[in-house]
Amino acid sequence: MVPRRRWPTARGTFSGFLASVDSRGVDDATWEELEDALILADAGVGTTTALLDRLKEQAKAKKVNDPEQLVALLKSQMAEDLGGRDLELGTEGNPAVWLFVGVNGVGKTTTIGKLADREVRSGRKVVLAAGDTFRAAAAEQLGQWADRSGAELVRGAEGADPSSVIYDAVEHAAASGVPLVMADTAGRLHTRANLMEELAKIHRVAGKGPGTVTEVLLVIDASTGQNGLAQARQFTESAELTGVVLTKLDGSAKGGIVMAVQDELDIPVKLVGLGEGIADLVEFDADDYVEALFS
């Protein structure tokens, strides 16, 4: 379980709500303040409305008028909404291929490096594919992570076709008996249709050879709030996303974006980044997350 002090600062908005409801009890103003707290935490209007509608029905059915009971009911509802999803990363395939997508600066390459370290430590060989051929620094950074984690690196020339680099990485992994390929991609601007089409091409090519694309993980900087949700919507149209990695949840992120992504797009948040350390990329835990918001 992740220490609660490392979870997002959304706890500030909820602590204010808790202080208010404790001093006054449950009334119409309580619901308004709870709505404000959820929206300020970046949960989004749609997600907030749906959550409160369900919560009001439960509170009415159970005749809840005590602040502690309401908070317990709220926490239970949030944990139920966020939990119960398959967070396993698929490893079926010879090799399995994990594609990492997202705009520049969200932490894709770092996420790949941390995951590669985790997989190698577990005894699994890994090939890293430097599919971001538009930035020489991206391949260099991925190479550093390969050296650090003990993974292999396959890269092409600067400006090479990203699809061909990833295809070569899959072929190399298959020939070498390596069961997992993690592929970096360029930080595509989600408003540029041609770049999104290229991402769709990468997805097709990565699965044409011996490999099987088992994961397409969208990496989002949690501190961007609802803009991250807009990115997710665009990427969903170009790639069959299997999960989301939320980075930088230890900083200025408010955390409610977790609820928005899973509720509005029905895409599970599989991993969260809670720091700069190599071990600070962890599997999302709904119960721990909800408790942290109210602690």
Side-chain angles (χ1 to χ4, degrees):
M1 181 173 288
V2 179
R4 291 175 189 170
R5 61 181 174 80
R6 296 171 60 197
W7 281 98
T9 52
R11 64 174 67 91
T13 63
F14 287 105
S15 62
F17 164 74
L18 291 176
S20 175
V21 73
D22 282 344
S23 63
R24 189 187 60 244
V26 180
D27 55 20
D28 289 342
T30 300
W31 295 104
E32 294 180 5
E33 290 173 9
L34 179 53
E35 180 179 27
D36 290 342
L38 287 164
I39 292 175
L40 287 173
D42 276 336
V45 175
T47 298
T48 295
T49 300
L51 172 61
L52 291 184
D53 285 346
R54 292 193 300 275
L55 189 64
K56 287 178 180 178
E57 289 181 4
Q58 290 189 53
K60 182 178 180 181
K62 297 181 180 180
K63 299 181 180 179
V64 171
N65 52 25
D66 176 80
E68 291 187 4
Q69 290 180 326
L70 178 62
V71 171
L73 195 62
L74 170 61
K75 290 163 65 174
S76 176
Q77 182 64 62
M78 291 174 66
E80 181 181 336
D81 290 348
L82 293 170
R85 295 170 183 261
D86 183 7
L87 303 184
E88 291 293 322
L89 298 175
T91 56
E92 304 81 8
N94 295 297
V97 182
W98 297 352
L99 299 179
F100 294 79
V101 302
V103 300
N104 281 331
V106 295
K108 287 193 308 298
T109 306
T110 299
T111 294
I112 295 170
K114 290 179 178 180
L115 269 179
D117 181 79
R118 187 185 79 173
E119 294 299 316
V120 171
R121 285 177 182 273
S122 73
R124 182 177 286 120
K125 293 182 178 180
V126 177
V127 167
L128 304 183
D132 185 354
T133 60
F134 296 101
R135 293 189 308 119
E140 295 297 332
Q141 183 185 8
L142 196 64
Q144 292 172 4
W145 277 110
D147 292 340
R148 186 176 179 183
S149 65
E152 293 186 68
L153 176 71
V154 172
R155 61 179 296 182
E158 185 175 353
D161 180 9
S163 298
S164 67
V165 174
I166 294 173
Y167 184 84
D168 288 346
V170 173
E171 289 281 323
H172 171 73
S176 305
V178 177
L180 178 61
V181 174
M182 298 186 190
D184 197 4
T185 63
R188 349 215 135 254
L189 300 174
H190 57 283
T191 54
R192 295 281 296 278
N194 59 321
L195 293 180
M196 299 304 287
E197 289 170 2
E198 183 181 288
L199 176 59
K201 175 186 174 183
I202 289 174
H203 188 283
R204 292 194 304 272
V205 171
K208 275 188 174 181
T212 302
V213 178
T214 60
E215 296 289 343
V216 182
L217 299 171
L218 173 63
V219 183
I220 299 176
D221 179 344
S223 66
T224 62
Q226 288 294 300
N227 186 50
L229 181 62
Q231 293 172 24
R233 290 194 186 100
Q234 293 289 338
F235 277 96
T236 300
E237 296 175 3
S238 300
E240 298 175 7
L241 298 180
T242 60
V244 170
V245 181
L246 279 174
T247 63
K248 307 178 186 179
L249 265 174
D250 60 317
S252 60
K254 297 175 182 178
I257 187 65
V258 173
M259 293 182 278
V261 167
Q262 294 200 164
D263 176 58
E264 296 195 26
L265 299 179
D266 197 28
I267 302 172
V269 174
K270 294 193 172 185
L271 298 161
V272 292
L274 299 172
E276 298 296 327
I278 199 166
D280 289 333
L281 185 70
V282 300
E283 185 175 286
F284 176 70
D285 185 292
D287 292 328
D288 193 20
Y289 168 78
V290 172
E291 286 298 327
L293 295 181
F294 290 88
S295 62

